[in-house]
Short mmCIF file of all heavy atoms in Angstrom, two decimals:
data_model
loop_
_atom_site.label_atom_id
_atom_site.label_comp_id
_atom_site.label_asym_id
_atom_site.label_seq_id
_atom_site.Cartn_x
_atom_site.Cartn_y
_atom_site.Cartn_z
N MET L 764 39.97 203.13 -19.00
CA MET L 764 38.56 202.80 -18.82
C MET L 764 37.74 204.03 -18.43
O MET L 764 36.62 204.21 -18.94
CB MET L 764 38.39 201.72 -17.76
CG MET L 764 36.97 201.18 -17.65
SD MET L 764 36.71 200.05 -16.26
CE MET L 764 37.93 198.83 -16.64
N PHE L 765 38.27 204.87 -17.57
CA PHE L 765 37.58 206.08 -17.17
C PHE L 765 37.31 206.95 -18.43
O PHE L 765 36.21 207.48 -18.58
CB PHE L 765 38.45 206.86 -16.20
CG PHE L 765 37.86 208.17 -15.75
CD1 PHE L 765 37.01 208.23 -14.65
CD2 PHE L 765 38.11 209.35 -16.45
CE1 PHE L 765 36.44 209.43 -14.24
CE2 PHE L 765 37.56 210.55 -16.06
CZ PHE L 765 36.72 210.60 -14.92
N GLN L 766 38.30 207.08 -19.28
CA GLN L 766 38.17 207.90 -20.47
C GLN L 766 37.12 207.32 -21.43
O GLN L 766 36.28 208.04 -21.98
CB GLN L 766 39.48 208.06 -21.20
CG GLN L 766 40.54 208.86 -20.42
CD GLN L 766 41.81 208.93 -21.19
OE1 GLN L 766 41.88 209.62 -22.21
NE2 GLN L 766 42.87 208.29 -20.70
N LEU L 767 37.14 206.00 -21.61
CA LEU L 767 36.20 205.37 -22.51
C LEU L 767 34.74 205.57 -22.01
O LEU L 767 33.87 205.93 -22.76
CB LEU L 767 36.48 203.87 -22.61
CG LEU L 767 37.57 203.40 -23.55
CD1 LEU L 767 37.85 201.94 -23.37
CD2 LEU L 767 37.24 203.72 -25.00
N CYS L 768 34.55 205.34 -20.73
CA CYS L 768 33.22 205.40 -20.14
C CYS L 768 32.67 206.82 -20.14
O CYS L 768 31.45 207.03 -20.30
CB CYS L 768 33.19 204.81 -18.72
SG CYS L 768 33.52 203.04 -18.70
N ALA L 769 33.52 207.80 -19.95
CA ALA L 769 33.09 209.18 -19.88
C ALA L 769 32.93 209.77 -21.30
O ALA L 769 31.94 210.44 -21.60
CB ALA L 769 34.07 210.03 -19.06
N ASP L 770 33.93 209.52 -22.16
CA ASP L 770 33.93 210.12 -23.47
C ASP L 770 32.83 209.56 -24.34
O ASP L 770 32.24 210.27 -25.18
CB ASP L 770 35.29 209.88 -24.14
CG ASP L 770 35.37 210.64 -25.46
OD1 ASP L 770 35.08 211.87 -25.48
OD2 ASP L 770 35.81 210.04 -26.47
N ASP L 771 32.49 208.26 -24.21
CA ASP L 771 31.45 207.63 -25.00
C ASP L 771 30.13 207.50 -24.27
O ASP L 771 29.26 206.72 -24.66
CB ASP L 771 31.91 206.25 -25.46
CG ASP L 771 33.04 206.33 -26.50
OD1 ASP L 771 33.07 207.31 -27.25
OD2 ASP L 771 33.89 205.43 -26.51
N PHE L 772 29.96 208.28 -23.19
CA PHE L 772 28.74 208.21 -22.41
C PHE L 772 27.53 208.56 -23.30
O PHE L 772 27.52 209.55 -24.04
CB PHE L 772 28.80 209.21 -21.26
CG PHE L 772 27.55 209.23 -20.41
CD1 PHE L 772 27.35 208.29 -19.43
CD2 PHE L 772 26.60 210.23 -20.56
CE1 PHE L 772 26.21 208.30 -18.63
CE2 PHE L 772 25.46 210.27 -19.79
CZ PHE L 772 25.26 209.32 -18.80
N ALA L 773 26.53 207.71 -23.27
CA ALA L 773 25.32 207.90 -24.11
C ALA L 773 24.08 207.94 -23.25
O ALA L 773 23.53 206.89 -22.88
CB ALA L 773 25.24 206.79 -25.15
N PHE L 774 23.66 209.16 -22.93
CA PHE L 774 22.48 209.33 -22.06
C PHE L 774 21.21 208.79 -22.71
O PHE L 774 20.24 208.42 -22.04
CB PHE L 774 22.30 210.79 -21.71
CG PHE L 774 21.19 211.06 -20.74
CD1 PHE L 774 21.32 210.73 -19.39
CD2 PHE L 774 19.99 211.63 -21.17
CE1 PHE L 774 20.30 210.97 -18.51
CE2 PHE L 774 18.97 211.88 -20.28
CZ PHE L 774 19.11 211.55 -18.94
N ARG L 775 21.20 208.74 -24.07
CA ARG L 775 20.01 208.28 -24.77
C ARG L 775 19.67 206.84 -24.42
O ARG L 775 18.55 206.36 -24.70
CB ARG L 775 20.18 208.45 -26.27
CG ARG L 775 21.32 207.62 -26.89
CD ARG L 775 21.47 207.93 -28.35
NE ARG L 775 22.52 207.15 -28.98
CZ ARG L 775 23.80 207.50 -28.98
NH1 ARG L 775 24.19 208.62 -28.38
NH2 ARG L 775 24.71 206.73 -29.56
N ARG L 776 20.62 206.07 -23.88
CA ARG L 776 20.33 204.69 -23.49
C ARG L 776 19.43 204.60 -22.27
O ARG L 776 18.97 203.54 -21.90
CB ARG L 776 21.63 203.97 -23.19
CG ARG L 776 22.53 203.79 -24.39
CD ARG L 776 23.83 203.15 -24.02
NE ARG L 776 24.72 202.96 -25.15
CZ ARG L 776 25.97 202.60 -25.04
NH1 ARG L 776 26.53 202.43 -23.87
NH2 ARG L 776 26.72 202.39 -26.13
N VAL L 777 19.16 205.74 -21.63
CA VAL L 777 18.40 205.74 -20.42
C VAL L 777 16.93 205.25 -20.66
O VAL L 777 16.25 204.86 -19.72
CB VAL L 777 18.43 207.13 -19.76
CG1 VAL L 777 17.48 208.10 -20.46
CG2 VAL L 777 18.08 207.05 -18.26
N GLY L 778 16.48 205.35 -21.89
CA GLY L 778 15.11 204.88 -22.20
C GLY L 778 14.91 203.41 -21.81
O GLY L 778 13.84 203.05 -21.29
N LYS L 779 15.91 202.59 -22.05
CA LYS L 779 15.82 201.18 -21.63
C LYS L 779 15.79 201.01 -20.15
O LYS L 779 15.09 200.16 -19.60
CB LYS L 779 17.00 200.40 -22.24
CG LYS L 779 17.04 200.36 -23.74
CD LYS L 779 18.15 199.57 -24.30
CE LYS L 779 19.49 200.25 -24.19
NZ LYS L 779 20.58 199.57 -24.88
N LEU L 780 16.53 201.86 -19.44
CA LEU L 780 16.59 201.79 -17.98
C LEU L 780 15.24 202.20 -17.37
O LEU L 780 14.77 201.60 -16.42
CB LEU L 780 17.70 202.69 -17.44
CG LEU L 780 17.84 202.81 -15.94
CD1 LEU L 780 18.11 201.46 -15.29
CD2 LEU L 780 18.94 203.81 -15.57
N VAL L 781 14.64 203.23 -17.94
CA VAL L 781 13.32 203.70 -17.43
C VAL L 781 12.29 202.58 -17.58
O VAL L 781 11.49 202.33 -16.66
CB VAL L 781 12.88 204.96 -18.19
CG1 VAL L 781 11.41 205.31 -17.84
CG2 VAL L 781 13.79 206.14 -17.85
N GLN L 782 12.30 201.91 -18.72
CA GLN L 782 11.37 200.81 -18.93
C GLN L 782 11.55 199.71 -17.89
O GLN L 782 10.59 199.18 -17.36
CB GLN L 782 11.59 200.22 -20.35
CG GLN L 782 10.75 199.05 -20.70
CD GLN L 782 11.46 197.70 -20.37
OE1 GLN L 782 10.82 196.73 -20.01
NE2 GLN L 782 12.78 197.71 -20.41
N ALA L 783 12.80 199.40 -17.56
CA ALA L 783 13.09 198.35 -16.57
C ALA L 783 12.60 198.79 -15.19
O ALA L 783 12.06 197.96 -14.42
CB ALA L 783 14.57 198.07 -16.55
N ILE L 784 12.81 200.05 -14.85
CA ILE L 784 12.37 200.54 -13.56
C ILE L 784 10.84 200.48 -13.41
O ILE L 784 10.30 200.11 -12.37
CB ILE L 784 12.86 201.99 -13.33
CG1 ILE L 784 14.39 201.98 -13.21
CG2 ILE L 784 12.23 202.62 -12.10
CD1 ILE L 784 14.99 203.38 -13.15
N VAL L 785 10.14 200.83 -14.47
CA VAL L 785 8.66 200.78 -14.49
C VAL L 785 8.19 199.33 -14.26
O VAL L 785 7.29 199.08 -13.44
CB VAL L 785 8.10 201.33 -15.79
CG1 VAL L 785 6.61 201.07 -15.89
CG2 VAL L 785 8.36 202.81 -15.88
N VAL L 786 8.78 198.39 -14.97
CA VAL L 786 8.38 196.96 -14.80
C VAL L 786 8.68 196.49 -13.38
O VAL L 786 7.81 195.83 -12.79
CB VAL L 786 9.13 196.08 -15.85
CG1 VAL L 786 8.88 194.58 -15.53
CG2 VAL L 786 8.71 196.38 -17.25
N LEU L 787 9.81 196.84 -12.83
CA LEU L 787 10.15 196.44 -11.48
C LEU L 787 9.19 197.04 -10.47
O LEU L 787 8.72 196.35 -9.54
CB LEU L 787 11.59 196.86 -11.15
CG LEU L 787 12.06 196.57 -9.72
CD1 LEU L 787 11.95 195.06 -9.40
CD2 LEU L 787 13.48 197.05 -9.48
N ALA L 788 8.85 198.30 -10.65
CA ALA L 788 7.90 198.98 -9.73
C ALA L 788 6.54 198.30 -9.75
O ALA L 788 5.91 198.08 -8.68
CB ALA L 788 7.78 200.46 -10.08
N ILE L 789 6.06 197.94 -10.94
CA ILE L 789 4.78 197.29 -11.05
C ILE L 789 4.84 195.89 -10.44
O ILE L 789 3.93 195.46 -9.72
CB ILE L 789 4.37 197.19 -12.54
CG1 ILE L 789 4.09 198.57 -13.11
CG2 ILE L 789 3.13 196.29 -12.70
CD1 ILE L 789 3.82 198.59 -14.60
N ALA L 790 5.97 195.18 -10.66
CA ALA L 790 6.07 193.84 -10.08
C ALA L 790 6.08 193.86 -8.57
O ALA L 790 5.43 193.03 -7.93
CB ALA L 790 7.40 193.22 -10.58
N VAL L 791 6.77 194.89 -7.99
CA VAL L 791 6.82 195.01 -6.54
C VAL L 791 5.41 195.19 -5.95
O VAL L 791 5.05 194.63 -4.90
CB VAL L 791 7.75 196.15 -6.14
CG1 VAL L 791 7.57 196.50 -4.67
CG2 VAL L 791 9.20 195.77 -6.41
N THR L 792 4.58 195.98 -6.63
CA THR L 792 3.24 196.23 -6.15
C THR L 792 2.35 195.00 -6.27
O THR L 792 1.36 194.85 -5.54
CB THR L 792 2.60 197.41 -6.88
OG1 THR L 792 2.50 197.11 -8.29
CG2 THR L 792 3.43 198.67 -6.69
N MET L 793 2.66 194.12 -7.23
CA MET L 793 1.87 192.92 -7.46
C MET L 793 2.22 191.76 -6.56
O MET L 793 1.43 190.86 -6.39
CB MET L 793 2.01 192.48 -8.94
CG MET L 793 1.42 193.43 -9.98
SD MET L 793 1.85 192.88 -11.67
CE MET L 793 1.18 191.23 -11.69
N LEU L 794 3.39 191.78 -6.00
CA LEU L 794 3.86 190.67 -5.19
C LEU L 794 3.10 190.56 -3.86
O LEU L 794 2.83 191.55 -3.19
CB LEU L 794 5.35 190.79 -4.91
CG LEU L 794 6.30 190.58 -6.09
CD1 LEU L 794 7.72 190.95 -5.71
CD2 LEU L 794 6.24 189.13 -6.56
N ASP L 795 2.84 189.33 -3.49
CA ASP L 795 2.20 189.10 -2.17
C ASP L 795 3.33 188.84 -1.17
O ASP L 795 3.56 187.71 -0.73
CB ASP L 795 1.26 187.87 -2.27
CG ASP L 795 0.50 187.65 -0.98
OD1 ASP L 795 0.43 188.57 -0.15
OD2 ASP L 795 0.00 186.53 -0.80
N VAL L 796 4.02 189.91 -0.83
CA VAL L 796 5.19 189.84 0.06
C VAL L 796 5.10 190.92 1.12
O VAL L 796 4.72 192.05 0.84
CB VAL L 796 6.50 190.03 -0.78
CG1 VAL L 796 7.71 190.19 0.17
CG2 VAL L 796 6.70 188.86 -1.69
N ALA L 797 5.42 190.53 2.35
CA ALA L 797 5.54 191.50 3.43
C ALA L 797 6.89 192.20 3.35
O ALA L 797 7.89 191.56 3.64
CB ALA L 797 5.34 190.82 4.80
N TRP L 798 6.87 193.46 3.02
CA TRP L 798 8.15 194.16 2.76
C TRP L 798 8.77 194.63 4.07
O TRP L 798 8.60 195.76 4.53
CB TRP L 798 7.94 195.36 1.81
CG TRP L 798 7.74 194.88 0.40
CD1 TRP L 798 6.55 194.74 -0.29
CD2 TRP L 798 8.75 194.38 -0.48
NE1 TRP L 798 6.76 194.23 -1.54
CE2 TRP L 798 8.11 194.00 -1.70
CE3 TRP L 798 10.13 194.24 -0.38
CZ2 TRP L 798 8.81 193.50 -2.79
CZ3 TRP L 798 10.83 193.74 -1.46
CH2 TRP L 798 10.17 193.39 -2.65
N THR L 799 9.50 193.72 4.70
CA THR L 799 10.21 194.03 5.90
C THR L 799 11.49 194.85 5.58
O THR L 799 11.86 194.93 4.40
CB THR L 799 10.62 192.73 6.64
OG1 THR L 799 11.51 191.96 5.78
CG2 THR L 799 9.38 191.90 6.94
N THR L 800 12.10 195.36 6.64
CA THR L 800 13.34 196.11 6.42
C THR L 800 14.42 195.22 5.78
O THR L 800 15.17 195.66 4.89
CB THR L 800 13.86 196.65 7.76
OG1 THR L 800 12.86 197.49 8.37
CG2 THR L 800 15.14 197.46 7.56
N ALA L 801 14.46 193.96 6.19
CA ALA L 801 15.46 193.02 5.64
C ALA L 801 15.23 192.81 4.17
O ALA L 801 16.19 192.77 3.37
CB ALA L 801 15.40 191.71 6.41
N ARG L 802 13.97 192.59 3.78
CA ARG L 802 13.67 192.37 2.35
C ARG L 802 13.99 193.59 1.50
O ARG L 802 14.54 193.47 0.40
CB ARG L 802 12.22 191.95 2.18
CG ARG L 802 11.91 190.51 2.56
CD ARG L 802 10.55 190.08 2.06
NE ARG L 802 10.38 188.65 2.15
CZ ARG L 802 9.74 188.02 3.14
NH1 ARG L 802 9.26 188.76 4.14
NH2 ARG L 802 9.63 186.73 3.13
N VAL L 803 13.67 194.76 2.00
CA VAL L 803 14.00 196.01 1.26
C VAL L 803 15.51 196.16 1.12
O VAL L 803 16.02 196.50 0.05
CB VAL L 803 13.39 197.22 1.95
CG1 VAL L 803 13.87 198.52 1.31
CG2 VAL L 803 11.86 197.17 1.94
N ALA L 804 16.24 195.83 2.17
CA ALA L 804 17.70 195.92 2.16
C ALA L 804 18.30 194.95 1.14
O ALA L 804 19.22 195.27 0.39
CB ALA L 804 18.27 195.67 3.56
N VAL L 805 17.75 193.72 1.10
CA VAL L 805 18.25 192.70 0.16
C VAL L 805 17.94 193.16 -1.25
O VAL L 805 18.80 193.00 -2.17
CB VAL L 805 17.64 191.33 0.46
CG1 VAL L 805 17.96 190.35 -0.69
CG2 VAL L 805 18.17 190.79 1.77
#
């Protein structure tokens, strides 16, 4: 498994991850939520 994951690593897939992070960041700013330490930890 280690060899498969390392040898076939495809950094170009990071474009999808960046898109997801942007959507999550925007959603967090839109939420009417008090961001306590517990909520951030969860």
Side-chain angles (χ1 to χ4, degrees):
M764 187 186 303
F765 179 89
Q766 294 181 69
L767 280 172
C768 293
D770 187 50
D771 290 329
F772 179 80
F774 184 73
R775 62 184 181 275
R776 294 175 179 170
V777 77
K779 297 182 284 187
L780 176 60
V781 170
Q782 178 268 149
I784 293 173
V785 170
V786 172
L787 177 59
I789 294 174
V791 167
T792 61
M793 292 173 58
L794 289 171
D795 185 17
V796 170
W798 286 101
T799 62
T800 302
R802 282 194 168 97
V803 173
V805 170

